Amino acid sequence: MAAFRGSHFKLVVTGKLMHWDRTPAPAFRLEQHMRERGVGDLDDHVEENRLESTILGESRTCFEALETPEEPLATVHELTFDGGHRVHAARGVAGRC
């Protein structure tokens, strides 16, 4: 398994693999997890509770435990950085792992 020096780089690489290449398949969906706990609309919940800049514990735990095999990493030749990655850090990749 690959070892990443920083969580931000892991986030970008994992985002590329999960959202563009569809590997690995997400095992955890934040929206579904929160719906099971009575949260109907995740966006409203985040806004109403001022969680915009917060990584929820469930997402952090899943993301930190996520292991990336060497084989899919070998297919990553280009990474794209854009302003949306701040949002992905809070809800996106970590929320979908």
Side-chain angles (χ1 to χ4, degrees):
M1 296 297 157
F4 291 90
R5 288 189 191 170
S7 61
H8 296 289
F9 184 65
K10 181 179 180 181
L11 183 67
V12 173
V13 171
T14 303
K16 161 80 167 93
L17 291 171
M18 282 187 175
H19 296 291
W20 294 101
D21 301 348
R22 303 286 186 215
T23 50
F28 175 82
R29 297 231 179 252
L30 182 59
E31 290 86 353
Q32 178 182 347
H33 176 80
M34 296 304 283
R35 203 172 11 251
E36 291 168 358
R37 280 146 187 78
V39 174
D41 185 294
L42 184 56
D43 291 326
D44 287 345
H45 175 76
V46 167
E47 188 174 324
E48 290 167 6
N49 292 285
R50 297 183 164 182
L51 299 172
E52 294 90 346
S53 300
T54 303
I55 297 176
L56 302 179
E58 295 91 337
S59 295
R60 180 183 301 279
T61 299
C62 177
F63 181 70
E64 289 174 350
L66 183 68
E67 295 183 346
T68 306
E70 298 288 335
E71 187 175 308
L73 280 179
T75 67
V76 177
H77 299 287
E78 183 177 320
L79 296 172
T80 302
F81 295 86
D82 65 26
H85 280 89
R86 172 169 283 176
V87 173
H88 295 307
R91 290 197 47 231
V93 174
R96 300 194 194 304
C97 73

